[in-house]
Amino acid sequence: MTVFMWYPLATAFYHSFTQWDGVTTQWIGLQNYSTIFTSGQLWLLLRNNFIFLLSIPGILLISLIVSVLLFEEVPGWRFFRSVYYLPTILSAVVVGMLMQTLFSPEGAINEALRSIGLGGFAQPWIGTAPTAFLVLILAFYWQTLGQGVLIFLSGLSSLSTELIEAARIDGANWWQRLFRIIVPLLAPAISYFMVTNIIYIFIGLFALVYSITRGGPGYETTPIDYMIYVKAFESGDLGYASTLSVILLILVSAVCWLQVKALDLLAAD
C-alpha cells in the first residue's frame, strides 16, 4: 500500500506545486492550480465528464430491464445471458477499435445507410463532437451492459419471489412491479452500480477515448483522465498533469461521498 498507493499519491501532490518534466523540478507554488482554473480548460474537461455522467441513468435502466427479463426466463434467456456478458470480457481498446472501424467514413454503419437509400445520413461520425460523443457512449453502454446485468441478476436472486407474485396477483403490471417493488429492493445493488460507474466515468474512460477519438475533434471529447495523459506523456508537463490528478482525486471522492449519502437517505426513507 505504501509503495504502490501512498507514495505515488504523496509525490503527485508535491509535484502539483512544481514545474516538473520528470527530471528537473522547480517549485512554483499555486501557479499550476491558477492556470487550470483561469484558462477555462478545466470547465471544458468537466463538461465532457458531465456528459458521460448523464448517460449513466440510461445504462442503469437498460441493465435493470434486461436483468428482470432474464430473471423471468423469457424465451432464449440462456443464450442472451451469454451474449450480453461477452463485451464485458473484451479489452476497452478492442471495443474502441471495433467502434472506430464501424463508424469510420467508409465503415459498416455508413455503408449500411447507403445500401438502404439513406446515404444522406452517412457522415464522419467521429469527426464532429456530437456524434463522437454518441459513439463513445454507445461503446460505454455496450461494454457496461454485461456488468450491470450480472450485478442485478445477483441482487434479484436474493429477492423473495412471493412478494413479486403477490404484486402480480394484485394487478400490478410489469412496469409497476419493476419501479415500485424491484427497484427499491435492489437499492444496494443500484448503489454499487452507480458508484463504480461514476468512478469509471472519471478515471476509466482513457482507453475508449484513446482508441476511438483521441480526445478530438480538438479537446471536445477529452475527459480529465485523458488530459492527464496528454499533459504528462505528450507535452511532458508532469507538474501540470499532477495538478489535474489531485483535482480529479478530490472531485471523485466528493462525488462518491455525496452519492453514498444520498442513497443512504433514500434507503432510510
Side-chain angles (χ1 to χ4, degrees):
M1 290 288 288
T2 300
V3 173
F4 294 107
M5 181 176 174
W6 297 115
Y7 174 73
L9 183 62
T11 56
F13 183 76
Y14 167 75
H15 285 297
S16 70
F17 298 99
T18 67
Q19 185 176 350
W20 180 42
D21 61 3
V23 179
T24 59
T25 304
Q26 179 183 355
W27 183 268
I28 58 174
L30 295 173
Q31 184 176 326
N32 284 332
Y33 289 92
S34 176
T35 301
I36 289 173
F37 282 103
T38 58
S39 66
Q41 188 178 78
L42 178 63
W43 313 118
L44 174 63
L45 302 178
L46 288 175
R47 184 209 68 176
N48 295 339
N49 279 105
F50 184 69
I51 291 173
F52 285 110
L53 277 178
L54 291 178
S55 71
I56 291 180
I59 187 60
L60 170 63
L61 180 61
I62 294 171
S63 299
L64 273 171
I65 292 173
V66 171
S67 301
V68 174
L69 290 174
L70 293 177
F71 182 73
E72 294 178 347
E73 299 185 359
V74 296
W77 67 277
R78 294 182 186 274
F79 169 75
F80 287 111
R81 184 175 59 180
S82 302
V83 167
Y84 289 133
Y85 188 72
L86 276 176
T88 303
I89 65 177
L90 296 178
S91 163
V93 175
V94 172
V95 175
M97 295 301 294
L98 173 63
M99 293 297 170
Q100 187 184 59
T101 302
L102 287 174
F103 288 94
S104 66
E106 301 303 323
I109 300 300
N110 283 339
E111 290 299 321
L113 290 172
R114 295 186 186 104
S115 67
I116 60 175
L118 297 175
F121 292 98
Q123 57 183 294
W125 298 92
I126 302 174
T128 57
T131 52
F133 266 118
L134 290 177
V135 175
L136 285 169
I137 290 171
L138 176 62
F140 168 58
Y141 274 28
W142 193 63
Q143 191 177 35
T144 307
L145 178 60
Q147 174 208 18
V149 169
L150 183 65
I151 291 171
F152 296 135
L153 277 176
S154 299
L156 286 166
S157 64
S158 64
L159 299 184
S160 171
T161 56
E162 295 177 356
L163 185 61
I164 299 174
E165 284 300 320
R168 190 200 307 270
I169 294 171
D170 286 341
N173 61 36
W174 193 88
W175 293 101
Q176 289 173 328
R177 296 196 301 274
L178 174 65
F179 287 110
R180 296 187 180 183
I181 297 176
I182 295 175
V183 169
L185 293 175
L186 284 180
I190 293 173
S191 175
Y192 174 78
F193 179 85
M194 291 287 289
V195 170
T196 55
N197 277 282
I198 285 176
I199 294 173
Y200 178 83
I201 287 296
F202 280 103
I203 66 174
L205 286 173
F206 171 81
L208 284 179
V209 173
Y210 181 83
S211 56
I212 298 177
T213 66
R214 297 293 178 95
Y219 291 132
E220 290 298 313
T221 61
T222 301
I224 296 179
D225 61 332
Y226 187 78
M227 181 58 76
I228 293 172
Y229 164 80
V230 171
K231 290 296 183 181
F233 301 107
E234 292 187 0
S235 301
D237 194 348
L238 293 168
Y240 192 95
S242 297
T243 308
L244 279 174
S245 300
V246 171
I247 293 172
L248 181 59
L249 172 64
I250 295 171
L251 180 63
V252 172
S253 300
V255 169
C256 289
W257 182 83
L258 289 172
Q259 183 188 16
V260 170
K261 288 295 182 182
L263 289 169
D264 285 343
L265 290 174
L266 288 174
D269 292 339

